Amino acid sequence: MDIYFSFQAALFFSIAHIFIRRGLVESNAMTGSFISLSMTAAILWLMLPFFASFSALWTPVSLIFVAAGIFAPGIGRTMSYIGIEKIGVARSVPVANSSPIFASIFAVIFLAEVWVPQNIVGTLLVISGVISLSISRPAHGPWRKLDVIYPLIGAMAFGASSNLRKAGLDYVPVPVLAAAVTAGSAALFSFVLLQARGGKAALKLTRRSAGWLFTA
């Protein structure tokens, strides 16, 4: 059953990425990221009262989840969407999904976890995939190979966030609480970033792009 839910999650993430790409045709990555993070935060905070007490928020451990949210989905999702905007879904998403590499490396360094042979082989395979994507010829339209750096930074941010969440959940084992706090801090980060980029002037949203982005 756990594997079934994992595949369902992967399916919905894939669909969301396609919708985001369609929405970015008449919008931009900052707008897409802000809408996505805000919707995620709103849904999780509405779910929170059914799974945990709000009193659990007032602990120092919550700051770990706040930091995790800034890394990802804050920085991670924003960089991933910029990657989708610049190099397309087919190249950006696989690179952004290389985050388990960084999560594994950070876990060995900071959480003293053991790096088993499967991790090493998997890491080498994913690195090979990233290299192949960066040197391949574009399927359509021009793109800069240097722009692969955006989803790569996103992958690193997701990897760091995963380790922070793991550390926080060791103290407060309430996943919905952790998800709500990380999503809330990520949405706030996205709002601050949007304001720094010009506020309403940086918000590019048409009726058609809004339909795709909110659905995503």
Side-chain angles (χ1 to χ4, degrees):
M1 187 60 71
D2 291 340
I3 295 176
Y4 168 79
F5 285 127
S6 297
F7 275 115
Q8 288 297 310
L11 172 63
F12 285 117
F13 271 118
S14 300
I15 295 171
H17 286 137
I18 298 299
F19 285 176
I20 286 292
R21 185 67 186 97
R22 293 295 299 270
L24 291 180
V25 172
E26 296 184 3
S27 184
N28 56 41
M30 288 300 305
T31 303
S33 179
F34 175 69
I35 290 176
S36 174
L37 293 172
S38 299
M39 288 289 290
T40 302
I43 291 170
L44 286 169
W45 279 94
L46 287 173
M47 292 172 56
L48 183 59
F50 299 99
F51 293 91
S53 170
F54 282 107
S55 61
L57 292 169
W58 310 113
T59 63
V61 178
S62 293
L63 295 177
I64 297 178
F65 297 132
V66 170
I70 292 174
F71 275 107
I75 296 173
R77 190 172 298 180
T78 301
M79 291 294 103
S80 177
Y81 286 1
I82 292 175
I84 290 174
E85 184 179 49
K86 289 184 176 294
I87 65 177
V89 174
R91 293 188 184 88
S92 178
V93 173
V95 175
N97 286 344
S98 67
S99 59
I101 289 180
F102 300 102
S104 182
I105 293 172
F106 295 152
V108 171
I109 296 173
F110 299 108
L111 300 180
E113 293 189 3
V114 178
W115 212 10
V116 296
Q118 293 94 319
N119 293 94
I120 298 174
V121 173
T123 297
L124 294 174
L125 289 173
V126 175
I127 290 175
S128 299
V130 172
I131 293 174
S132 297
L133 286 170
S134 64
I135 66 176
S136 62
R137 295 181 62 184
H140 59 84
W143 67 290
R144 297 191 311 160
K145 294 177 181 178
L146 186 62
D147 288 336
V148 173
I149 193 67
Y150 294 108
L152 191 60
I153 292 174
M156 294 177 66
F158 274 108
S161 179
S162 296
N163 280 268
L164 287 169
R165 297 179 198 189
K166 175 63 169 63
L169 287 170
D170 285 342
Y171 293 98
V172 182
V174 185
V176 175
L177 173 67
V181 175
T182 55
S185 62
L188 182 60
F189 168 83
S190 180
F191 175 76
V192 172
L193 190 60
L194 189 66
Q195 293 301 311
R197 294 292 299 273
K200 290 184 178 180
L203 196 65
K204 185 179 179 182
L205 194 64
T206 64
R207 180 177 296 180
R208 180 178 298 178
S209 64
W212 289 111
L213 296 175
F214 278 102
T215 302

